[in-house]
Amino acid sequence: AYLYAPPAAAQTAYVANGESYADTRHAEATIEYLKKYAGGEKPFFIACGFANPHSPPRAPQKFYDLYDVNKMTLPPDYAPHPTVPPGFPALRVVPRNTELFIGRDASEAQAREMKRAYWAATSFMDSLVGRVLAALDATGQRDNTIVVFWGDHGYHLSEKGRWSKAYSLFDVATRTPLLIAAPGVTPTSGAVCDRTVEMINLYQTFCDLAGLPAPAGIEGVSMTPLLRDPGAPWERPAYSVVQYREHFGRSVETPRWHFVEWDRGAGGAMLLDRGNDPHELKNLAADPKHAADLAAMKVLLAKLPEPAK
């Protein structure tokens, strides 16, 4: 509890500049750690986590002002409420809105407002990342520090009528941002790698970049070859899992295909052509023309260990 409340004008400024948000405090704490440890002789590791963008999206007004709500476009599979497209298994969609529009439909106007709020929250977080990196530069250790930025999951913004992570195994929910800058390893030109990778690889990659032995039993593989050469061969698929109540979904993705099974196939399956159907609008699992593709993806999915009981 506060014994003294600042004047209303001061409170308004406090919110307008973002100082009252937890994410701002996280950035400031990280900056203080950098000042304390980056100049020392021992190696340092700092994990800085931001909540934004998250449900509900929050940001100071100036970040909303960056975007015109009337220019917010909706995806081709926008729906006012959770919708199972024709040809998709029912388990693919939680039957009611349980995230940003709880128990109610989202009109197109409301969907655009929410999408603008998500973008504002993302820009707010981006500004805080910028502050942290500027502080790292000020220590003179940028060229001696590995910087990794990633998110924990993707996010529906009205695709299939869903919002947030939505217990979804669609690509929009399983795909996450991942940026790695490793001095002397990664290209300095901001190169983009289009290979399909997994977050389970991060620990091995950290060990590899730091020249440390990885503990026995750690899953994943180092992505350092892709950091050195974004076009290097890479034949490993990416797996994702999700549990909704008693139902369990498993997913495997390759550069071309995305395959999903619910309840080991009893709850339905999805075969999605990532190259020709980026919005994942058509389920090809029952298409005889893609029987061989389906079989190949089933073989890959079978390599995923069964969940612990």
Side-chain angles (χ1 to χ4, degrees):
Y2 291 97
L3 299 179
Y4 168 74
Q11 292 182 25
T12 301
Y14 191 60
V15 172
N17 293 317
E19 290 88 345
S20 62
Y21 291 88
D23 278 355
T24 301
R25 296 195 295 272
H26 295 167
E28 291 172 346
T30 301
I31 290 170
E32 290 304 311
Y33 278 123
L34 283 171
K35 292 178 179 178
K36 182 176 180 180
Y37 295 106
E41 296 181 359
K42 293 183 178 180
F44 65 89
F45 174 87
I46 299 177
C48 174
F50 297 114
N52 269 317
H54 199 273
S55 304
R58 300 174 67 241
Q61 182 62 43
K62 62 184 179 181
F63 293 99
Y64 284 79
D65 295 341
L66 296 173
Y67 304 105
D68 183 347
V69 69
N70 297 311
K71 294 182 180 179
M72 293 290 105
T73 59
L74 299 180
D77 50 353
Y78 153 81
H81 52 264
T83 301
V84 180
F88 283 83
L91 274 179
R92 209 277 315 148
V93 168
V94 179
R96 63 185 294 269
N97 250 335
T98 57
E99 296 105 8
L100 297 177
F101 293 91
I102 299 176
R104 61 191 175 96
D105 284 359
S107 68
E108 290 192 13
Q110 291 170 328
R112 290 189 176 92
E113 287 283 3
M114 193 63 75
K115 187 171 181 178
R116 178 197 186 199
Y118 183 85
W119 284 22
T122 302
S123 293
F124 174 41
M125 180 271 297
D126 183 65
S127 73
L128 297 176
V129 173
R131 287 182 58 185
V132 171
L133 292 178
L136 175 62
D137 286 341
T139 68
Q141 293 295 319
R142 170 64 79 92
D143 292 335
N144 193 37
T145 303
I146 301 163
V147 178
V148 184
F149 176 93
W150 81 91
D152 58 342
H153 57 74
Y155 206 97
H156 281 252
L157 287 171
S158 78
E159 292 87 356
K160 317 291 190 298
R162 299 303 301 167
W163 296 87
S164 188
K165 51 191 171 186
Y167 302 102
S168 168
L169 284 174
F170 276 101
D171 186 71
V172 69
T174 60
R175 180 185 295 268
T176 69
L178 175 60
L179 295 88
I180 301 178
V185 178
T186 53
T188 59
S189 60
V192 175
C193 178
D194 63 1
R195 301 295 190 253
T196 301
V197 297
E198 305 172 284
M199 286 190 288
I200 201 171
N201 295 332
L202 286 173
Y203 195 102
Q204 293 277 15
T205 304
F206 293 162
C207 291
D208 195 7
L209 291 174
L212 299 172
I218 296 295
E219 295 184 79
V221 298
S222 174
M223 297 181 289
T224 303
L226 294 179
L227 301 182
R228 298 186 184 280
D229 177 9
W234 187 263
E235 303 299 330
R236 302 179 65 88
Y239 295 96
S240 302
V241 297
V242 69
Q243 183 166 358
Y244 172 65
R245 295 178 179 172
E246 71 276 16
H247 302 294
F248 189 72
R250 305 190 304 162
S251 162
V252 59
E253 297 189 52
T254 66
R256 170 71 185 277
W257 295 103
H258 183 191
F259 178 62
V260 178
E261 274 191 347
W262 286 94
D263 295 338
R264 298 171 182 80
M270 305 188 305
L271 179 65
L272 307 160
D273 187 340
R274 298 178 63 192
N276 296 309
D277 181 20
H279 294 285
E280 299 190 326
L281 303 176
K282 188 175 182 179
N283 184 8
L284 302 174
D287 188 338
K289 292 185 295 184
H290 294 286
D293 300 312
L294 179 70
M297 295 303 289
K298 283 188 174 184
V299 170
L300 287 180
L301 190 60
K303 296 179 181 180
L304 182 65
E306 290 292 324
K309 300 294 185 183

